[in-house]
Amino acid sequence: EVQLVESGGGLVQPGRSLRLSCTASGFTFGDYAMSWFRQAPGKGLEWVGFIRSKAYGGTTEYAASVKGRFTISRDDSKSIAYLQMNSLKTEDTAVYYCTRDGGSGSYYFDYWGQGTLVTVSS
Amino acid sequence: QSALTQPASVSGSPGQSITISCTGTSSDVGGYNYVSWYQQHPGKAPKLMIYDVSNRPSGVSNRFSGSKSGNTASLTISGLQAEDEADYYCSSYTSSSTDWVFGGGTKLTVL
């Protein structure tokens, strides 16, 4: 059974940093691109960014709203994807979800974690 | 302001059919067959219901179907059931600076 479990959320002051983790199980982690999404309280979904599998260079792409502040990385030996968030702003407050991409060449996200809440407030 | 436009709410009675629209542009919905739909119950993670416009993942009921015409995609749910009550989000790959865009979500109420 595919499982994605996010961790690392919490309360952080504006301007500080936080690192989220997404621990995967039930599939060959290294074969898949992994994405992060977020959902502000009472709002819709927003794509944050993704990291390709090593077979596709392990490169990353980001939404304009987080580019230069957020970094996605992966440790295939541990089946973990990370979201490093720097220079946090109050508008980054959201539930953050990690997802598995549907497979090579896919443009959808077939498994989602339960999410972890990040609150940016002084 | 979401990149894709969905109705804020739709409703239907058990057994009826409803359709949720998702309107974008030629840079997203109209330009690619990469529209997907997600169901989200309150306090839960989104669940993939339709991908690549009209494909259903394994395990998703065949009461759910998707289509697209021009810049508008649609999700149809037939034989409405109480457990279908949820928020539904459409998403599309886009050629803009943000690789994926979403609709603002549609709250489905089963009367």
Side-chain angles (χ1 to χ4, degrees), chain B residues 25 29-31 68-73:
Chain B
T25 69
V29 174
K68 190 186 83 166
S69 177
N71 294 338
T72 298

mmCIF file with all atom_site columns, all heavy atoms in Angstrom, chain B residues 25 29-31 68-73:
data_model
loop_
_atom_site.group_PDB
_atom_site.id
_atom_site.type_symbol
_atom_site.label_atom_id
_atom_site.label_alt_id
_atom_site.label_comp_id
_atom_site.label_asym_id
_atom_site.label_entity_id
_atom_site.label_seq_id
_atom_site.pdbx_PDB_ins_code
_atom_site.Cartn_x
_atom_site.Cartn_y
_atom_site.Cartn_z
_atom_site.occupancy
_atom_site.B_iso_or_equiv
_atom_site.pdbx_formal_charge
_atom_site.auth_seq_id
_atom_site.auth_comp_id
_atom_site.auth_asym_id
_atom_site.auth_atom_id
_atom_site.pdbx_PDB_model_num
ATOM 1  N N   . THR B 1 25 ? -7.840  28.443 -20.256 1.00 0.00 ? 25 THR B N   1
ATOM 2  C CA  . THR B 1 25 ? -7.451  29.118 -21.499 1.00 0.00 ? 25 THR B CA  1
ATOM 3  C C   . THR B 1 25 ? -6.745  28.134 -22.416 1.00 0.00 ? 25 THR B C   1
ATOM 4  O O   . THR B 1 25 ? -6.569  26.955 -22.070 1.00 0.00 ? 25 THR B O   1
ATOM 5  C CB  . THR B 1 25 ? -6.494  30.281 -21.199 1.00 0.00 ? 25 THR B CB  1
ATOM 6  O OG1 . THR B 1 25 ? -5.241  29.743 -20.743 1.00 0.00 ? 25 THR B OG1 1
ATOM 7  C CG2 . THR B 1 25 ? -7.058  31.219 -20.136 1.00 0.00 ? 25 THR B CG2 1
ATOM 8  N N   . VAL B 1 29 ? -6.077  24.358 -19.973 1.00 0.00 ? 29 VAL B N   1
ATOM 9  C CA  . VAL B 1 29 ? -7.108  23.355 -20.292 1.00 0.00 ? 29 VAL B CA  1
ATOM 10 C C   . VAL B 1 29 ? -7.219  23.107 -21.792 1.00 0.00 ? 29 VAL B C   1
ATOM 11 O O   . VAL B 1 29 ? -7.250  21.951 -22.251 1.00 0.00 ? 29 VAL B O   1
ATOM 12 C CB  . VAL B 1 29 ? -8.474  23.787 -19.730 1.00 0.00 ? 29 VAL B CB  1
ATOM 13 C CG1 . VAL B 1 29 ? -9.570  22.816 -20.188 1.00 0.00 ? 29 VAL B CG1 1
ATOM 14 C CG2 . VAL B 1 29 ? -8.435  23.851 -18.201 1.00 0.00 ? 29 VAL B CG2 1
ATOM 15 N N   . GLY B 1 30 ? -7.267  24.169 -22.569 1.00 0.00 ? 30 GLY B N   1
ATOM 16 C CA  . GLY B 1 30 ? -7.470  24.026 -24.000 1.00 0.00 ? 30 GLY B CA  1
ATOM 17 C C   . GLY B 1 30 ? -6.262  23.535 -24.772 1.00 0.00 ? 30 GLY B C   1
ATOM 18 O O   . GLY B 1 30 ? -6.394  23.024 -25.886 1.00 0.00 ? 30 GLY B O   1
ATOM 19 N N   . GLY B 1 31 ? -5.088  23.682 -24.170 1.00 0.00 ? 31 GLY B N   1
ATOM 20 C CA  . GLY B 1 31 ? -3.867  23.360 -24.881 1.00 0.00 ? 31 GLY B CA  1
ATOM 21 C C   . GLY B 1 31 ? -3.305  21.984 -24.624 1.00 0.00 ? 31 GLY B C   1
ATOM 22 O O   . GLY B 1 31 ? -2.432  21.516 -25.356 1.00 0.00 ? 31 GLY B O   1
ATOM 23 N N   . LYS B 1 68 ? -13.843 17.138 -22.044 1.00 0.00 ? 68 LYS B N   1
ATOM 24 C CA  . LYS B 1 68 ? -13.307 18.470 -22.323 1.00 0.00 ? 68 LYS B CA  1
ATOM 25 C C   . LYS B 1 68 ? -13.788 18.935 -23.682 1.00 0.00 ? 68 LYS B C   1
ATOM 26 O O   . LYS B 1 68 ? -13.876 18.148 -24.627 1.00 0.00 ? 68 LYS B O   1
ATOM 27 C CB  . LYS B 1 68 ? -11.773 18.431 -22.313 1.00 0.00 ? 68 LYS B CB  1
ATOM 28 C CG  . LYS B 1 68 ? -11.113 19.811 -22.352 1.00 0.00 ? 68 LYS B CG  1
ATOM 29 C CD  . LYS B 1 68 ? -9.600  19.710 -22.487 1.00 0.00 ? 68 LYS B CD  1
ATOM 30 C CE  . LYS B 1 68 ? -9.164  19.531 -23.915 1.00 0.00 ? 68 LYS B CE  1
ATOM 31 N NZ  . LYS B 1 68 ? -7.696  19.754 -24.087 1.00 0.00 ? 68 LYS B NZ  1
ATOM 32 N N   . SER B 1 69 ? -14.097 20.232 -23.747 1.00 0.00 ? 69 SER B N   1
ATOM 33 C CA  . SER B 1 69 ? -14.442 20.859 -25.019 1.00 0.00 ? 69 SER B CA  1
ATOM 34 C C   . SER B 1 69 ? -13.813 22.240 -25.036 1.00 0.00 ? 69 SER B C   1
ATOM 35 O O   . SER B 1 69 ? -14.162 23.086 -24.205 1.00 0.00 ? 69 SER B O   1
ATOM 36 C CB  . SER B 1 69 ? -15.967 20.965 -25.180 1.00 0.00 ? 69 SER B CB  1
ATOM 37 O OG  . SER B 1 69 ? -16.291 21.628 -26.381 1.00 0.00 ? 69 SER B OG  1
ATOM 38 N N   . GLY B 1 70 ? -12.895 22.440 -25.949 1.00 0.00 ? 70 GLY B N   1
ATOM 39 C CA  . GLY B 1 70 ? -12.209 23.722 -26.001 1.00 0.00 ? 70 GLY B CA  1
ATOM 40 C C   . GLY B 1 70 ? -11.463 24.010 -24.714 1.00 0.00 ? 70 GLY B C   1
ATOM 41 O O   . GLY B 1 70 ? -10.681 23.196 -24.240 1.00 0.00 ? 70 GLY B O   1
ATOM 42 N N   . ASN B 1 71 ? -11.735 25.162 -24.133 1.00 0.00 ? 71 ASN B N   1
ATOM 43 C CA  . ASN B 1 71 ? -11.045 25.571 -22.906 1.00 0.00 ? 71 ASN B CA  1
ATOM 44 C C   . ASN B 1 71 ? -11.786 25.177 -21.633 1.00 0.00 ? 71 ASN B C   1
ATOM 45 O O   . ASN B 1 71 ? -11.418 25.621 -20.541 1.00 0.00 ? 71 ASN B O   1
ATOM 46 C CB  . ASN B 1 71 ? -10.851 27.097 -22.910 1.00 0.00 ? 71 ASN B CB  1
ATOM 47 C CG  . ASN B 1 71 ? -9.906  27.570 -23.998 1.00 0.00 ? 71 ASN B CG  1
ATOM 48 O OD1 . ASN B 1 71 ? -9.079  26.791 -24.490 1.00 0.00 ? 71 ASN B OD1 1
ATOM 49 N ND2 . ASN B 1 71 ? -10.043 28.819 -24.389 1.00 0.00 ? 71 ASN B ND2 1
ATOM 50 N N   . THR B 1 72 ? -12.830 24.360 -21.766 1.00 0.00 ? 72 THR B N   1
ATOM 51 C CA  . THR B 1 72 ? -13.628 23.966 -20.603 1.00 0.00 ? 72 THR B CA  1
ATOM 52 C C   . THR B 1 72 ? -13.642 22.450 -20.426 1.00 0.00 ? 72 THR B C   1
ATOM 53 O O   . THR B 1 72 ? -13.974 21.712 -21.349 1.00 0.00 ? 72 THR B O   1
ATOM 54 C CB  . THR B 1 72 ? -15.070 24.478 -20.729 1.00 0.00 ? 72 THR B CB  1
ATOM 55 O OG1 . THR B 1 72 ? -15.067 25.907 -20.770 1.00 0.00 ? 72 THR B OG1 1
ATOM 56 C CG2 . THR B 1 72 ? -15.908 24.030 -19.525 1.00 0.00 ? 72 THR B CG2 1
ATOM 57 N N   . ALA B 1 73 ? -13.259 22.035 -19.227 1.00 0.00 ? 73 ALA B N   1
ATOM 58 C CA  . ALA B 1 73 ? -13.337 20.627 -18.853 1.00 0.00 ? 73 ALA B CA  1
ATOM 59 C C   . ALA B 1 73 ? -14.533 20.442 -17.927 1.00 0.00 ? 73 ALA B C   1
ATOM 60 O O   . ALA B 1 73 ? -14.999 21.393 -17.301 1.00 0.00 ? 73 ALA B O   1
ATOM 61 C CB  . ALA B 1 73 ? -12.054 20.194 -18.146 1.00 0.00 ? 73 ALA B CB  1
#
